[in-house]
Amino acid sequence: MKVTEVLDPFLPFCRRLLPSSLTGLSLAFLKATALEAAILAGHLLLYPTGLTPERRPPAPPAPSAEPDGTVRLPVRPAPPVVLLHGFIDNRSVFVLLRRTLAQHGGQRVESLNYSPLTCDIRTAAELLGRHIEEICECTGSGRVDIVGHSLGGLIARYYVQRLGGDLRVRTLVTLGTPHSGTRVAPLADAHPIVRQMRPGSEVIEELTRPAPGCRTRFVSFWSDLDSVMEPVETARIDHPDLLATNVRVTGIGHLALPVHPAIASGIRQALDETHAEERIAGGLTVA
């Protein structure tokens, strides 16, 4: 796996100007920071477009009859894909990923919003479960795939692991999700849902409990340059009862995870897997 090399000639200069925690400044870090800033600016422009709930398309047509009277059953497509955004965000963060997934294989894609006033991951997970039941009823599909960014991935995992959602969720892909809790931005603890994302919280502790027979396949994308995950390895899923694949990416920050085309390609690959035993080989590198 290729990793961007550190700019050795500039390290002495950086050590004089920057705190010791930043003296490992690298070209990859600079690129990731610039990309994060550009994505943030674009996302702020798109944010108002995602404030309203998505309009759900009509249900698929009923089976039609052939001239000889036999019923032609519709071809069952791949499960619908549900996109779930992160903290204080909305469905507009998935504008590019949604288009990519919809064009690939013709899968039905739905982006869900949960209120920024949501104060409990458990409540959000229950609401997600109701949405998924509606989607399954509307589409005629027994299962769905979920892609969750940051907090969205944690909500989806709680639904799968603690509320019986593994009956409905075939594959859960998480992008920069604090599976073991994150220590970043301690001042944000004023918000109760942030406290639930801390290491050792009741919610995080619940997710460490046994989950025998869980049917869902998990794929977690985690980045070594994710500044929201502290430590970055917290975005990995390490649970003995879960069928989980952890995919390390480099050169990508937290905001870029649901936007970058390399990640979208990895998500498509994960959703296309037909056998739970298969693993995404190697790693993913973005220079």
Side-chain angles (χ1 to χ4, degrees):
M1 182 175 67
K2 176 186 175 184
V3 179
T4 305
E5 295 180 356
V6 174
L7 295 181
D8 294 328
F10 293 95
L11 287 181
F13 178 72
C14 292
R15 290 191 181 98
R16 291 196 299 269
L17 295 183
L18 300 173
S20 59
S21 60
L22 296 181
T23 54
L25 193 64
S26 68
L27 179 59
F29 177 81
L30 293 174
K31 287 183 177 180
T33 302
L35 182 59
E36 290 282 280
I39 290 173
L40 177 61
H43 187 40
L44 289 176
L45 293 176
L46 290 174
Y47 192 90
T49 67
L51 291 174
T52 57
E54 185 175 74
R55 181 178 299 177
R56 185 161 293 162
S64 58
E66 298 288 353
D68 60 1
T70 60
V71 175
R72 184 176 70 245
L73 296 177
V75 177
R76 182 173 294 277
V81 180
V82 179
L83 306 178
L84 197 61
H85 62 79
F87 181 59
I88 316 181
D89 209 339
N90 61 40
R91 61 186 178 87
S92 63
V93 72
F94 292 119
V95 61
L96 296 179
L97 179 60
R98 177 190 177 91
R99 183 182 306 167
T100 299
L101 294 177
Q103 291 174 347
H104 176 75
Q107 287 176 281
R108 178 166 176 155
V109 182
E110 297 214 13
S111 304
L112 299 182
N113 276 354
Y114 56 88
S115 172
L117 301 179
T118 300
C119 292
D120 185 66
I121 288 175
R122 303 176 187 91
T123 301
E126 292 173 358
L127 179 61
L128 172 63
R130 292 197 290 271
H131 279 305
I132 289 177
E133 290 300 320
E134 294 174 0
I135 291 170
C136 288
E137 181 179 359
C138 179
T139 62
S141 176
R143 306 193 81 184
V144 302
D145 293 327
I146 299 179
V147 179
H149 179 226
S150 196
L151 172 60
L154 202 62
I155 292 171
R157 180 180 172 188
Y158 193 93
Y159 164 66
V160 166
Q161 194 175 329
R162 302 296 299 168
L163 302 180
D166 61 317
L167 290 172
R168 287 298 193 191
V169 181
R170 184 185 69 162
T171 304
L172 170 57
V173 179
T174 64
L175 311 173
T177 290
H179 291 288
S180 301
T182 178
R183 300 185 182 93
V184 75
L187 295 180
D189 281 352
H191 198 294
I193 211 166
V194 174
R195 294 197 296 271
Q196 290 184 334
M197 289 190 286
R198 296 303 190 200
S201 73
E202 290 185 4
V203 167
I204 297 299
E205 190 276 330
E206 285 185 59
L207 294 177
T208 65
R209 295 176 187 173
C214 184
R215 301 166 180 83
T216 299
R217 178 189 175 213
F218 296 82
V219 181
S220 62
F221 289 83
W222 66 283
S223 174
D224 57 358
L225 291 180
D226 190 335
S227 60
V228 178
M229 297 297 105
E230 175 58 43
V232 293
E233 292 82 6
T234 191
R236 294 172 48 91
I237 297 179
D238 295 307
H239 192 295
D241 294 333
L242 301 183
L243 182 63
T245 301
N246 293 299
V247 183
R248 177 186 177 183
V249 301
T250 65
I252 292 181
H254 189 75
L255 296 179
L257 287 168
V259 176
H260 203 285
I263 302 296
S265 177
I267 293 172
R268 292 199 308 267
Q269 181 180 349
L271 297 183
D272 284 344
E273 295 289 348
T274 56
H275 300 290
E277 295 79 11
E278 294 184 31
R279 293 290 187 269
I280 298 176
L284 192 64
T285 298
V286 180

